[in-house]
Amino acid sequence: MSKGGVVSGGAQKGGKKKNMSSAYVIDCAKPVQDKIMDIASLEKFLQDRIKVSGKPGALGDIVIVTRDNTKITVTANDTTFSKRYLKYLTKKYLKKNNVRDWLRVIASNKDRNIYELRYFNIAENEAEDED
């Protein structure tokens, strides 16, 4: 980096911006079917906690959080949105509701834009402890 020089941010010369839109899904099917968690409260938590321009809860049209039966979709328009940040907030919600000890957030093997809430595999851990 040069001293006193202006560093260009890599602006495009065409004047057109790419429409950066990303959609991430949190699949909560197993905990919702077992009635361990309420999907509406997770949706509300995400709407209140997602930060846009450093302000939590000020989503506007930039970030849209929608809910289906067992899935929550977070769509980010015209901004970069970290998938890791969504995982962080989901883990924070699980900890707040005292279910973090039983559930984990993992990326789906099929599609990388989907997170799943799964139970820890306690049966394997008990079998290893017996050996």
Side-chain angles (χ1 to χ4, degrees):
M1 192 166 176
S2 63
K3 293 182 181 180
V6 177
V7 179
S8 67
Q12 296 177 353
K13 292 190 175 187
K16 291 184 179 180
K17 290 183 178 179
K18 284 186 180 179
N19 186 7
M20 298 181 344
S21 178
S22 57
Y24 301 109
V25 177
I26 303 172
D27 186 5
C28 309
K30 293 177 183 177
V32 169
Q33 288 173 352
D34 294 341
K35 296 185 173 132
I36 288 181
M37 63 177 275
D38 182 29
I39 197 163
S41 65
L42 176 58
E43 179 189 26
K44 174 91 171 88
F45 181 84
L46 290 175
Q47 287 174 345
D48 292 341
R49 299 291 175 101
I50 290 177
K51 289 185 179 181
V52 176
S53 300
K55 298 178 185 173
L59 301 181
D61 293 335
I62 297 172
V63 178
I64 301 167
V65 180
T66 57
R67 169 183 43 145
D68 293 334
N69 291 335
T70 60
K71 294 182 181 180
I72 292 180
T73 305
V74 178
T75 307
N77 299 320
D78 298 331
T79 185
T80 56
F81 188 79
S82 172
K83 181 180 163 192
R84 184 83 178 122
Y85 180 57
L86 189 61
K87 183 176 183 177
Y88 163 76
L89 287 175
T90 306
K91 288 166 79 172
K92 193 171 185 174
Y93 169 81
L94 294 175
K95 184 69 174 174
K96 179 182 173 190
N97 291 319
N98 298 323
V99 291
R100 180 78 178 99
D101 295 335
W102 295 283
L103 293 172
R104 61 183 178 163
V105 183
I106 54 174
S108 173
N109 289 337
K110 300 170 193 167
D111 188 7
R112 285 293 164 188
N113 288 341
I114 297 177
Y115 276 125
E116 292 181 46
L117 295 181
R118 290 190 188 169
Y119 291 104
F120 281 110
N121 212 354
I122 297 172
E124 286 183 8
N125 294 340
E126 289 177 356
E128 291 174 0
D129 290 342
E130 292 174 1
D131 291 339

